[in-house]
C-alpha cells in the first residue's frame, strides 16, 4: 500500500515504520508535493488537520476510490468539519496520543492560578519578598472541577487531579458514569452544576453545539472564586465575555492554551486581562512519547485498513 505522509509531527518515524512493514511511504514537504503524490495514487493519507483545506478536500476526492482513509495526526478535526470531506472517505484522529501532556498542561494552569505563581513571578522580577499572595492562595484539595467533555483528555486529567483530592464532575452528552468521575451530568444540565464548580475545564471537541458554549450566562453562574481552563479550541469560549468576567472580577482567573483567532493578535485586549495565563497552543507538546504514539496509531490503522477491519478512533466530519 502507498501512504502519503504530510506532517511535521513524527514524519520520519512514521515513514520508517511504513517502509519496515513493507509498504511505500510518500513524504510530502509541502502542498505541491502532496498534490503530486495524491495524483499519482495513494491508499491512505497521514497528515495534521491544520493542512486540510478546500483544495486538499478536492484532491482527496479525485484520489478516490483508491484513497480510503485519512489518518489525522492531531486530536482535533475541526478544519475537516469546516471544509467538509468527500462522501465515503474514512477519517480517524490521533486518539489519545496527546492526552497525557494536554492533561498535564491543564493541571499546571490550575495549580499556577491557585498558588498565585504569576503574581509571585511579578514580585520576583521586582525583587519584592511579598507574602501578601498567601491571603489569595488556594488548593485543589477539596475543589470541584467540572469537566466539559470526558474523553481521553478528560480521563487523563482526572487521573492527575484525583491525587490532589479534587472532586470531578463529568459533563457529557450521555452522562454515562465513569470510575474517575464523582458525578456525571448531561451537557443540557450544565447550569445545575455551575454554582458549585470551583474550576470549569473545557476539553471537548469544537462543533456547532460547543461553539461559544462558555459565554456570559455560563460565566455569570460560576462562583466568584472559580477558574476557567480551556485546552479545547478557542471558539468554545466567548472571548469577549471572558474578558468582561476577568475585568469585573466575576471569576477569579483563567488559563487558555487556545484562542480565536490563532495566533492571538498582538493588539487583542485579552493579552491585558488580569489573572489570565495564555499559552500559544502548546499543551500537546513536550514528550518524546508522543511521536511513538502517533506512529503506533498510524500503523495500527494501516494494518486494519489492509485487513478490511474497522479502524480505531474514527471521527465523522461534515460531508461536503
Amino acid at each position: 500500500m502507498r501512504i502519503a505522509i504530510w506532517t511535521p509531527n513524527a514524519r520520519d518515524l512514521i515513514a520508517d515504520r511504513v517502509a519496515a512493514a513493507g509498504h511505500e511511504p510518500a513524504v510530502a514537504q509541502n502542498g505541491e508535493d502532496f498534490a503530486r503524490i495524491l495524483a499519482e495514487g495513494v491508499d491512505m493519507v497521514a497528515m495534521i488537520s491544520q493542512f486540510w483545506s478546500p483544495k486538499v478536500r478536492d484532491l482527496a476526492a479525485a484520489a478516490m476510490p483508491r484513497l480510503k482513509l485519512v489518518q489525522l495526526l492531531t486530536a482535533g478535526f475541526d478544519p475537516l468539519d469546516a471544509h467538509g470531506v468527500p462522501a465515503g472517505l474514512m477519517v480517524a484522529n490521533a486518539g489519545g496520543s496527546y492526552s497525557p501532556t494536554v492533561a498535564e498542561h491543564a493541571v499546571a494552569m490550575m495549580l499556577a492560578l491557585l498558588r498565585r505563581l504569576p503574581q509571585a513571578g511579578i514580585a520576583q522580577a521586582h525583587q519584592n519578598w511579598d507574602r501578601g499572595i498567601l491571603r489569595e492562595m488556594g488548593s485543589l484539595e477539596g475543589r470541584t472541577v467540572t469537566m466539559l467533555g470526558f474523553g481521553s483528555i478528560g480521563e487523563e486529567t482526572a487521573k492527575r487531579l484525583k491525587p490532589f483530592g479534587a472532586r470531578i464532575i463529568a459533563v457529557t452528552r450521555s452522562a454515562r458514569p465513569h470510575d474517575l468521575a464523582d458525578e456525571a451530568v448531561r451537557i443540557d444540565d450544565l447550569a445545575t452544576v455551575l454554582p458549585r464548580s470551583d474550576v470549569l475545564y473545557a476539553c471537548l471537541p469544537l462543533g456547532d453545539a460547543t461553539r461559544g458554549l462558555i459565554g456570559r450566562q455560563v460565566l455569570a453562574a460560576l462562583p466568584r472564586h472559580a477558574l476557567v481552563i480551556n485546552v479545547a479550541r478557542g471558539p468554545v469560549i466567548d472571548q469577549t465575555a471572558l474578558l468582561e468576567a476577568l475585568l469585573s472580577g466575576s471569576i477569579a482567573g483563567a488559563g487558555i492554551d487556545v484562542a480565536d483567532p490563532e495566533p492571538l493578535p498582538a493588539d487583542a485586549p485579552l493579552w491585558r486581562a488580569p489573572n489570565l495565563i495564555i499559552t500559544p497552543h502548546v499543551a500537546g507538546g513536550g514528550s518524546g512519547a508522543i511521536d511513538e504514539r502517533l506512529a503506533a496509531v498510524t500503523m495500527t490503522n494501516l494494518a486494519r485498513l489492509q485487513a478490511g477491519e474497522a479502524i480505531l478512533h474514527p471521527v465523522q466530519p461534515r460531508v461536503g
Side-chain angles (χ1 to χ4, degrees):
M1 301 183 80
R2 190 166 189 251
I3 317 303
I5 302 168
W6 188 24
T7 173
N9 306 342
R11 179 186 60 203
D12 295 340
L13 181 60
I14 291 172
D16 289 345
R17 297 280 173 86
V18 168
H23 302 289
E24 179 187 352
V27 176
Q29 302 292 339
N30 51 50
E32 291 182 1
D33 281 353
F34 187 70
R36 173 182 53 78
I37 291 168
L38 259 63
E40 293 169 350
V42 297
D43 302 282
M44 173 178 165
V45 165
M47 65 182 293
I48 61 172
S49 63
Q50 293 92 324
F51 289 163
W52 193 264
S53 66
K55 180 178 180 180
V56 170
R57 176 200 61 207
D58 294 344
L59 290 171
M64 296 172 68
R66 179 175 175 180
L67 173 61
K68 295 178 175 61
L69 172 64
V70 173
Q71 174 63 61
L72 297 176
L73 303 175
T74 50
F77 58 93
D78 34 298
L80 285 77
D81 208 34
H83 303 305
V85 298
L89 181 61
M90 293 186 292
V91 181
N93 73 357
S97 297
Y98 299 93
S99 299
T101 49
V102 174
E104 188 174 317
H105 197 89
V107 174
M109 282 184 161
M110 295 178 202
L111 288 169
L113 289 163
L114 285 167
R115 307 305 294 175
R116 295 294 190 255
L117 297 188
Q119 290 84 348
I122 293 170
Q124 179 180 346
H126 293 87
Q127 297 85 45
N128 183 12
W129 185 266
D130 181 7
R131 299 187 75 243
I133 61 171
L134 183 61
R135 296 188 299 272
E136 303 171 338
M137 288 172 66
S139 170
L140 282 171
E141 185 177 12
R143 295 291 178 112
T144 296
V145 179
T146 296
M147 295 190 182
L148 297 177
F150 208 73
S152 177
I153 293 173
E155 291 180 10
E156 291 292 336
T157 306
K159 289 177 186 177
R160 287 154 176 77
L161 287 173
K162 280 297 185 179
F164 286 98
R167 186 174 188 277
I168 307 298
I169 299 177
V171 181
T172 63
R173 285 178 295 180
S174 66
R176 184 179 297 112
H178 195 287
D179 290 344
L180 289 169
D182 298 281
E183 184 179 348
V185 301
R186 294 175 57 86
I187 196 163
D188 293 342
D189 297 322
L190 173 62
T192 65
V193 299
L194 291 173
R196 51 192 174 95
S197 300
D198 300 301
V199 179
L200 182 62
Y201 171 46
C203 54
L204 75 180
L206 176 64
D208 290 341
T210 61
R211 187 178 299 274
L213 177 62
I214 303 176
R216 286 184 176 88
Q217 188 172 357
V218 167
L219 292 169
L222 291 168
R224 294 182 70 86
H225 67 265
L227 304 176
V228 174
I229 305 293
N230 185 15
V231 294
R233 288 292 185 268
V236 168
I237 292 184
D238 178 338
Q239 288 182 175
T240 300
L242 178 63
L243 177 62
E244 292 171 354
L246 290 167
L247 289 172
S248 68
S250 66
I251 61 172
I256 59 173
D257 183 58
V258 288
D260 182 25
E262 290 185 7
L264 189 64
D267 60 352
L270 208 58
W271 285 113
R272 298 183 294 278
N275 298 323
L276 174 64
I277 296 176
I278 300 175
T279 55
H281 206 150
V282 294
S287 172
I290 295 171
D291 283 1
E292 284 290 340
R293 289 192 286 265
L294 291 174
V297 72
T298 300
M299 296 309 298
T300 296
N301 274 344
L302 172 54
R304 285 174 171 262
L305 180 65
Q306 187 176 28
E309 299 174 352
I311 59 172
L312 296 182
H313 313 302
V315 294
Q316 294 181 322
R318 179 182 63 84
V319 173

